[in-house]
Amino acid sequence: MSYTQKTDRLLMKQSNQRMVLQIIQGSGPISRRDIAQQSGLSPAAVSGITAGLIESGLVQEVGETEESGRAGRRAILLRLNPQAGFVVGVKLAMHSIDCVVTDLDATVLHSTSAPLAFSAAPDDIRARYAPDEMIRMTIAAVEQILAAAAIPPEQILGIGIGVNGIVDAALGVCRSAPHFGWREVALAAPIAARFGIPVSLENDSRTLAIAEQWFGAGRGVDHFVGISVGYGIGSGIVSNGRVYRGAHGGAGEFGHMALLPGGPLCTCGKRGCLEALAGERGILAAVAEALAQGEPSALAQAQPPTLDAVAAAADAGDALARRVLAEAGRWLGVGIANLINMLNPQRLVINGEVVRCGDWYFGPMRQSILASAFDGLADDLDIQIAPSGDIVWARGAACVVLSELFTAPIPRDN
C-alpha cells in the first residue's frame, strides 16, 4: 500500500470517527443501529468506531432501548461523556478578559473576569490595546482560570478566543479589530505555544452563532443569523447548516453597513454606520447630545450616562431615554431588514449588552423590520432575544473548540 493510500485511509477513519461522535453528541442517547442509519456506515464499522470512542472515554454506555432489536436483544444506548475533556473560552472585551472552563456539553464549570489594567490614555487606542500586552494578559487570565478549575492540563482539549473584527480563523490571525486599533495580529500562535494546547481564534459575534448552532436556539436550524448588539454590532451567519465566514473572514460585519451619509462617526473611521446609530456608543452619544441641548431628563443626574442608566430611565418613564432607544431600535431594524433581504434566514438570535434595554428598543426594531423587509420575507421569521452577560461571550468562544471537535474534517467553504 502506497503512502498516499495509507494517508487517505487514515483521513477517512478520522472523518468517520468525527461523524459518529457528532451524531452521538447531537442525538444521544442513541443506539449503534441508529448511528449506522444516520451515518450510512456499516454496523460493523460503527461497532469498531464506538468501541474506540468508549475506550478513549469520550463515549459511555447509558442503558438499553425499550424496543428489542435483532434476536430479541435490546439495543445499548450511547451518549457523549461530558467529563471526558474540558475546554477554555476567552472573550477579549473592551474593559476585561472574560474566561470560562466548560465540559463537552458546554456547561460552564468555572468563570473569571480579569479587568484590563490600562497604562495608556483612553484616546490612544493602539497603545491602550497593544497586542503584546493583550497577549500577556490573556495568558495570565487563562493561567488563573486553569489554576482555579484544578483540571489536569492533559484534560484541556483546546482554548477558544473571541475577538472583534475580521478574523482569519484558519491562521489564527486578527486581520482587523477597529475597537482595539489592530491590524494583522497573530493571537493564536503565541498562546498555543505557551500552553501546548490548540487555540482557535474566531470573530466574537461568530462565536455566539456557533454556540447557538451547537447548544442553543440555532440547533437543527439550517439558516439562521446570530446578531450581537453592544459596544459594536456584528453577526454570525449559518447557511445550509454551516458557518459562513466569507473570503477573508469578514462575513457578518453588518454593523459597518453605511445607512446614514454624513451621520455619526463610527469606530471604523466612516460615518453613518449601523453600529454608530444603533449600538451602545450610538445610544450614549445621542443621550449626551440631547442633554447638551438642554432636553430635560433624569439622565442629567447620571454623568456620564451608562446603558443601564438609560434602560432604567426608560422603564421609569423618561421621555428622552425612550425616544433615543426607539430611534436606535428603528435603525437596527433597518439593518436587519437588509440582512433578511440578502440571506432569508429562518431565525434570528439577538444578544449582547443592548438586550437589557428591552421592548423600548426591540419593539421599534420589530416594527422597522416588518416595514423594511422585502415582500413578506420577515412575516414568519422567528426572532429570539437571548440572555446577555460577559460569560455568554466566553462560553461562545469555548463552543468554537467544541464545534471543531464534533465536526468531521471536511473541506471548509468560505
Side-chain angles (χ1 to χ4, degrees):
M1 183 182 296
S2 69
Y3 173 79
T4 300
Q5 288 174 318
K6 290 180 180 179
T7 301
D8 288 345
R9 288 188 64 178
L10 177 61
L11 290 175
M12 179 62 70
K13 180 180 178 181
Q14 292 174 339
S15 178
N16 289 341
Q17 287 175 334
R18 291 278 187 92
M19 178 169 57
V20 169
L21 187 61
Q22 181 177 346
I23 291 171
I24 295 172
Q25 186 273 332
S27 303
I30 185 172
S31 68
R32 291 172 175 83
R33 181 180 57 212
D34 289 340
I35 293 172
Q37 290 177 349
Q38 287 193 33
S39 66
L41 298 173
S42 70
V46 170
S47 293
I49 291 170
T50 55
L53 293 174
I54 291 171
E55 183 178 357
S56 71
L58 279 171
V59 169
Q60 54 191 186
E61 296 180 335
V62 291
E64 299 178 340
T65 59
E66 294 295 330
E67 297 181 2
S68 298
R70 291 182 179 179
R73 293 181 298 180
R74 295 189 177 190
I76 296 174
L77 295 174
L78 304 176
R79 66 150 290 166
L80 182 73
N81 175 12
Q83 301 295 307
F86 305 90
V87 301
V88 176
V90 181
K91 168 64 165 82
L92 302 185
M94 297 297 295
H95 301 287
S96 63
I97 296 177
D98 306 310
C99 298
V100 298
V101 172
T102 80
D103 63 16
L104 299 189
D105 278 337
T107 300
V108 175
L109 305 177
H110 301 273
S111 65
T112 60
S113 183
L116 294 179
F118 295 115
S119 58
D123 57 347
D124 189 356
I125 294 177
R126 286 183 175 83
R128 190 174 171 86
Y129 298 100
D132 289 347
E133 185 65 8
M134 288 290 286
I135 290 170
R136 183 194 67 78
M137 289 189 287
T138 300
I139 289 172
V142 173
E143 289 174 337
Q144 177 187 358
I145 197 167
L146 288 179
I151 296 172
E154 61 271 17
Q155 288 191 279
I156 302 296
L157 302 182
I159 299 171
I161 300 176
V163 64
N164 76 85
I166 298 175
V167 171
D168 187 326
L171 296 180
V173 174
C174 181
R175 296 295 186 195
S176 172
H179 298 168
F180 293 158
W182 287 355
R183 280 197 172 277
E184 303 299 331
V185 174
L187 280 178
I191 297 172
R194 165 60 184 83
F195 293 102
I197 299 171
V199 173
S200 300
L201 185 68
E202 187 57 274
N203 167 270
D204 52 5
S205 296
R206 207 172 289 134
T207 68
L208 295 181
I210 290 170
E212 295 293 351
Q213 180 186 31
W214 283 95
F215 300 97
R219 192 164 183 167
V221 180
D222 287 337
H223 304 277
F224 81 92
V225 180
I227 296 173
S228 58
V229 188
Y231 185 86
I233 294 179
S235 67
I237 300 166
V238 173
S239 179
N240 290 319
R242 302 191 62 192
V243 176
Y244 180 73
R245 291 177 171 85
H248 305 291
E253 289 289 346
F254 91 115
H256 298 290
M257 180 185 298
L259 297 181
L260 183 63
L265 185 65
C266 182
T267 56
C268 70
K270 299 179 176 61
R271 291 189 174 274
C273 292
L274 174 62
E275 184 174 295
L277 296 166
E280 179 179 356
R281 288 178 63 254
I283 291 170
L284 297 182
V287 168
E289 181 180 358
L291 292 175
Q293 293 176 354
E295 188 170 342
S297 171
L299 291 169
Q301 308 303 316
Q303 292 297 332
T306 64
L307 194 62
D308 283 337
V310 175
D315 288 339
D318 189 89
L320 184 153
R322 291 184 178 183
R323 176 181 61 77
V324 168
L325 290 179
E327 183 65 13
R330 279 191 287 271
W331 278 117
L332 181 64
V334 172
I336 289 176
N338 287 328
L339 275 185
I340 293 168
N341 292 346
M342 289 186 289
L343 301 174
N344 187 26
Q346 300 162 265
R347 178 171 295 166
L348 298 179
V349 182
I350 303 175
N351 47 35
E353 293 84 353
V354 178
V355 165
R356 67 193 69 170
C357 295
D359 283 343
W360 306 116
Y361 183 84
F362 291 111
M365 177 205 73
R366 292 176 187 273
Q367 295 172 4
S368 184
I369 289 173
L370 291 175
S372 304
F374 176 70
D375 197 22
L377 288 181
D379 288 353
D380 59 353
L381 178 68
D382 180 23
I383 301 177
Q384 298 191 14
I385 310 300
S388 183
D390 296 335
I391 298 306
V392 172
W393 294 89
R395 180 177 180 269
C399 289
V400 175
V401 179
L402 296 174
S403 72
E404 292 174 353
L405 174 66
F406 298 136
T407 303
I410 57 178
R412 182 191 340 210
D413 291 340
N414 286 329

